[in-house]
Amino acid sequence: MRFGVIVFPGSNCDLDAYYLVRDVLRQPVEYIYYNEASIGHCDVIILPGGFTYGDYLRSGAIARFSPVMKAVADFADRGGAVLGICNGFQVLTEAGLLPGALYRNDHLQFRCEQVFVRVENNSLPFTRSASLGKVLEMPVAHGDGNYYAPPEMLYVMEKNNQIVFRYTDREGNVTSAANPNGSIDNIAGVCNRKGNVVGIMPHPERAGEKILGSKHGLIIFKSIINYLQSREVV
Amino acid sequence: MKYYAAWKEAKALQWKAKVEITLKRAVLDPQGIAVKNSLKALGYEEVDQVRVGKYIELTLEASGRKEAASRVEEMSRRLLSNPVIEDYSYTLQEAGL
């Protein structure tokens, strides 16, 4: 099992993701640069947070045309596990690998704080170790995290169980006060139709050790490790 | 005269596109609301709606208006706008001459 962390110009959570996988989870991990044509022999691809290409034009809009994204799209097409965190989520929506779009927070502020998200779908490679409705605490740090999808798209996503995380309060109630950015239906994370590509706006990789205030983010990484191990046995 | 014709022809290949990108009507525009509130605070009570968008100017070479339009159209769809949340429109004019 091998993790790959994509490094775009302007990524800044690449080291956080790399550190978590290597030093906390003790799994093999490598960086893959934006201009590479291949993702090598990786089994999981992480698109980290940051400000790729300065967020010029729109967050993720330029990074999605990086050479490596062709390899990421092919990998996703073959059912490979892809996780986009924060800016990585924005890159995946811009690339059309995930539905919807992320734009300016409704209050126009950059938000850097702890939030709670509820697991809405625990049948995915990235969520299978979590119980349904489990409330996870992790930080957000973004200015463009306002998730939007038109009603007809939301309807289809809801039907296909593509809404993976919602912002809630500590008890798991969906409230507007718990929504840090104005996202429609409090959506914090979504997946593609097949469920192998997931995007999440909060940072699970920054919630992996007690010293950071929460270890809840680990469950996402443990899920994917568990998934890949079960596949290796078969 | 020959050189003038060649120069004129080369110039005619230059087009200027002005692309406007706006959030779709159904999408809330937080910047527009902030600007509207600020205008109201300045006493412009008559202001009803404010939408903030982007304006992109670019020049390109194309053999004619039709080709230029189709290229600008493609650029707007693929990169300049995000069709999930934004609409685009553009105008084209011959540049140079």
Side-chain angles (χ1 to χ4, degrees), chain A residues 15-83:
Chain A
L15 185 60
D16 294 344
Y18 187 91
Y19 165 80
L20 182 92
V21 174
R22 192 190 62 180
D23 296 311
V24 180
L25 298 166
R26 309 234 171 254
Q27 297 293 330
V29 57
E30 64 185 73
Y31 287 125
I32 301 166
Y33 290 90
Y34 73 103
N35 53 1
E36 291 183 35
S38 153
I39 55 160
H41 295 291
C42 292
D43 305 290
V44 193
I45 293 297
I46 299 175
L47 280 73
F51 299 86
T52 50
Y53 296 87
D55 277 353
Y56 295 149
L57 197 60
R58 291 178 311 279
S59 302
I62 297 177
R64 70 147 291 201
F65 289 107
S66 303
V68 76
M69 285 306 291
K70 174 81 178 71
V72 171
D74 289 344
F75 178 68
D77 231 36
R78 296 196 304 270
V82 179
L83 176 67

Side-chain angles (χ1 to χ4, degrees), chain A residues 1 12 33 39 42-43 45 49 58 68 86 92 117 122-123 129 135 137 144 165 177 205 215 225 233:
Chain A
M1 176 188 331
N12 67 7
Y33 290 90
I39 55 160
C42 292
D43 305 290
I45 293 297
R58 291 178 311 279
V68 76
C86 196
L92 290 173
V117 297
N122 69 338
S123 63
S129 298
V135 178
E137 179 180 3
D144 294 335
F165 302 102
E205 85 288 13
K215 292 171 76 172
I225 291 170
V233 173

Side-chain angles (χ1 to χ4, degrees), chain A residues 1 27 224-234:
Chain A
M1 176 188 331
Q27 297 293 330
I224 194 66
I225 291 170
N226 174 282
Y227 169 79
L228 291 169
Q229 278 169 348
S230 72
R231 240 181 20 171
E232 277 168 11
V233 173
V234 177

Side-chain angles (χ1 to χ4, degrees), chain B residues 12-96:
Chain B
L13 296 177
Q14 290 283 333
W15 295 84
K16 181 188 262 186
K18 298 176 173 181
V19 187
E20 267 180 31
I21 295 143
T22 50
L23 283 171
K24 284 183 189 294
R25 286 272 151 226
V27 179
L28 183 82
D29 177 3
Q31 292 186 87
I33 292 168
V35 173
K36 174 182 151 177
N37 291 343
S38 188
L39 285 172
K40 294 240 184 219
L42 289 171
Y44 299 102
E45 281 301 326
E46 70 274 28
V47 174
D48 183 27
Q49 267 212 19
V50 179
R51 307 284 288 178
V52 174
K54 288 180 192 136
Y55 171 72
I56 298 169
E57 210 175 82
L58 59 99
T59 58
L60 69 156
E61 277 182 24
S63 61
R65 179 173 287 273
K66 211 173 152 192
E67 189 196 315
S70 107
R71 299 296 283 175
V72 171
E73 186 89 29
E74 193 183 306
M75 293 174 207
S76 302
R77 213 175 42 238
R78 290 185 67 200
L79 177 64
L80 304 183
S81 78
N82 178 340
V84 178
I85 47 171
E86 294 169 328
D87 291 322
Y88 62 85
S89 63
Y90 60 88
T91 58
L92 270 176
Q93 64 189 68
E94 282 181 50

